[in-house]
Amino acid sequence: LVARMGGDEFLVILREEETLADTALRELARRIQAAIAQPVHVGRDSVAVRASIGIATFPEHGTDALSLLQRADEAMYRAKHRGRNRVELDEP
């Protein structure tokens, strides 16, 4: 499930049976970044977007939606702080 949280923040939710190892989650996030980074032509200009991505997993980082959102948000801000256009997995 992909949902817009507001502004420029989006959420990707995977079902429990789609649990992935940390390396697979990072690779999925990098594939999302690559797709987002494809230039979009607007008139004569070309616009490219970059994304900082924070990842939190159930139950390692929280057992309810609010906790998981907060932990993913913290990881995203850590990604921005460390240089933007990065992927960070929340720390347990």
Side-chain angles (χ1 to χ4, degrees):
L1 171 69
V2 178
R4 179 173 178 245
M5 292 296 294
D8 61 353
E9 292 189 359
F10 294 81
L11 184 67
V12 176
I13 300 173
L14 302 175
R15 293 182 305 210
E16 186 174 346
E17 55 269 9
E18 294 173 338
T19 300
L20 300 173
D22 292 355
T23 54
L25 286 169
R26 289 177 188 276
E27 178 56 30
L28 175 60
R30 287 186 191 99
R31 288 178 29 216
I32 291 170
Q33 284 178 317
I36 291 171
Q38 294 300 309
V40 175
H41 300 288
V42 180
R44 294 181 182 199
D45 296 321
S46 181
V47 178
V49 177
R50 294 190 176 167
S52 296
I53 298 176
I55 300 171
T57 59
F58 172 90
E60 295 81 10
H61 304 119
T63 57
D64 61 88
L66 183 58
S67 296
L68 290 166
L69 284 171
Q70 288 174 335
R71 300 289 295 268
D73 198 51
E74 290 169 6
M76 179 195 62
Y77 279 103
R78 197 168 43 257
K80 289 182 176 189
H81 178 74
R82 292 181 176 169
R84 299 184 181 266
N85 198 39
R86 295 177 51 97
V87 174
E88 291 289 332
L89 184 66
D90 192 39
E91 299 161 353

